[in-house]
Amino acid sequence: MVERANKPAAIPVSPTGPSPHVIFTADNSRVVASLPSGESVEVLLHGATVVSWKSAGTENLFLSDKAVLDGKKPVRGGIPLVFPVFGPPPSSGPLSTLPQHGFARSSRWEFLNQSSSEASTSARSAADDSVKLDFGLSSSNLSPESLRAWPHKFSIIYSVTLSKSTLQTTMLVRNESEVSFEFQLLMHTYLRVTDIGQVTVSGLNGASYIDKVKSASKAQETQSELGISGEMDRVYTGLQPQKPVVVSQGGKPRFEVIRDNLEDLVVWNPWIDKAAGMSDFAPQEAYKQMICIEAGAVNGWQKLEPGDTFEGVCSMKSVL
Ligand code: TA6
């Protein structure tokens, strides 16, 4: 396991006072966790897709009314996981048979365990509570098609940590084989907003980006507050680690996104035509209530030597 500062140390749940609550639904389809202070998170085993994150009673994530949640296709909304390839697969070679965005979001993950971090002193407050859910995917979970397309022995532990105002997602990829392999990785987060016309994104000023709406042309961000007034599909690359990206609504910060070891970030809104073109995107006007802010390592490929691990973290703070 890659050691990093500020990792919540999981300690046994103390007997004093209300504790975080975790349930695994009867149909084995999802895990729901909540804190004594009311925050909650809901994760499907299908794709280990977070489909709900609530803080102060407010839903922070967008989920399409027509999102398919029965495992038959990737979820349109929440936090789908992208691995081992971002976007359409290479046009030739073994990877070419992978689905767009890879197999992680379409695979059945295992729920590995839960742990709760609580302040162990009497000074404990609800703000100290958090609950961490671990999910696993490995080569042994893959469909024959995925294994044919990507025949590498790997394991991923995906951790979702809910605390009072923050949701932290961590992907830990391990090369379990005798040879190196390469991958891309991204958390395809659909944030819920009230009106895209009032949304601005800051923290990208000066960064290079690939504009997928303009034939993947390269450009540099010049706006300190980026507004969205049409289809936007930009891959910002080589961002300063730990530099917050802030999504504001009506001039007030709503989300703060901090990445660790994920140097790229995608900003996507399908707008009218692309929204109309997605059968699982509803209602069609819903493009006004969402913006994808996607932390990842997608500019080029991450190479992992045998036995090595790659850890990427995205912490999102909900400002209400
Ligand atoms: O992350 C942005 C993007 O790559 C867009 O180009 C668009 O394709 C979006 O992902 C959704 O992809 P999906 O395969 O989920 O329809």
Side-chain angles (χ1 to χ4, degrees):
M1 186 82 83
V2 175
E3 281 315 307
R4 280 186 331 99
N6 310 324
K7 264 185 136 174
I11 53 173
V13 174
S14 64
T16 54
S19 300
H21 188 62
V22 180
I23 61 160
F24 196 176
T25 56
D27 65 355
N28 293 338
S29 68
R30 61 189 74 190
V31 180
V32 184
S34 59
L35 297 179
S37 43
E39 294 74 19
S40 67
V41 67
E42 191 168 330
V43 190
L44 295 185
L45 293 191
H46 170 58
T49 312
V50 176
V51 289
S52 172
W53 164 39
K54 287 181 182 169
S55 28
T58 300
E59 178 58 68
N60 292 304
L61 300 177
F62 168 80
L63 186 67
S64 165
D65 288 354
K66 287 188 179 172
V68 176
L69 304 179
D70 63 4
K72 291 193 172 59
K73 68 182 291 187
V75 175
R76 181 65 64 201
I79 310 178
L81 298 177
V82 172
F83 178 88
V85 61
F86 170 68
S91 52
S92 61
L95 292 181
S96 60
T97 59
L98 281 173
Q100 159 135 313
H101 290 332
F103 48 66
R105 63 179 185 167
S106 312
S107 298
R108 170 99 177 176
W109 291 58
E110 297 170 65
F111 177 45
L112 302 178
N113 76 327
Q114 68 199 59
S115 53
S116 299
S117 307
E118 295 175 346
S120 54
T121 67
S122 57
R124 176 184 156 220
S125 71
D128 299 331
D129 286 345
S130 70
V131 58
K132 177 171 170 284
L133 307 173
D134 290 339
F135 299 86
L137 184 72
S138 69
S139 338
S140 57
N141 302 103
L142 293 189
S143 66
E145 301 78 31
S146 300
L147 273 174
R148 271 195 297 278
W150 206 72
H152 302 297
K153 206 156 174 278
F154 75 96
S155 61
I156 300 178
I157 294 177
Y158 175 57
S159 301
V160 179
T161 303
L162 172 73
S163 51
K164 186 148 179 59
S165 58
T166 302
L167 187 73
Q168 178 172 284
T169 51
T170 301
M171 288 272 272
L172 191 74
V173 183
R174 182 180 173 84
N175 182 345
E176 307 283 4
S177 77
E178 308 297 317
V179 292
S180 64
F181 61 62
E182 294 184 340
F183 64 91
Q184 296 175 320
L185 170 153
L186 173 129
M187 297 146 189
H188 200 291
T189 304
Y190 289 72
L191 294 175
R192 177 181 290 273
V193 294
T194 48
D195 174 3
I196 192 66
Q198 300 296 315
V199 166
T200 54
V201 182
S202 63
L204 298 169
N205 194 12
S208 303
Y209 66 88
I210 299 160
D211 193 333
K212 291 168 65 176
V213 171
K214 294 180 180 166
S215 314
S217 56
K218 293 206 168 83
Q220 191 164 28
E221 187 52 67
T222 56
Q223 299 181 71
S224 54
E225 292 286 343
L226 174 67
I228 292 92
S229 55
E231 180 187 354
M232 182 172 285
D233 194 350
R234 295 182 179 182
V235 183
Y236 289 87
T237 59
L239 292 169
Q240 215 180 306
Q242 307 270 347
K243 183 179 177 188
V245 169
V246 177
V247 177
S248 297
Q249 172 77 52
K252 283 173 55 187
R254 174 68 183 91
F255 295 103
E256 180 180 296
V257 180
I258 295 182
R259 297 152 294 104
D260 187 349
N261 202 30
L262 297 173
E263 293 193 1
D264 309 320
L265 185 134
V266 176
V267 179
W268 178 58
N269 185 288
W271 214 251
I272 301 168
D273 294 345
K274 287 284 172 47
M278 292 184 279
S279 60
D280 59 352
F281 192 94
Q284 284 196 6
E285 292 283 298
Y287 70 89
K288 295 176 183 171
Q289 277 81 47
M290 53 72 67
I291 181 168
C292 279
I293 299 288
E294 313 163 15
V298 296
N299 185 36
W301 297 81
Q302 298 300 320
K303 184 170 186 177
L304 212 47
E305 297 299 337
D308 279 0
T309 53
F310 172 94
E311 185 177 53
V313 186
C314 179
S315 294
M316 298 186 293
K317 183 176 181 183
S318 167
V319 182
L320 285 167

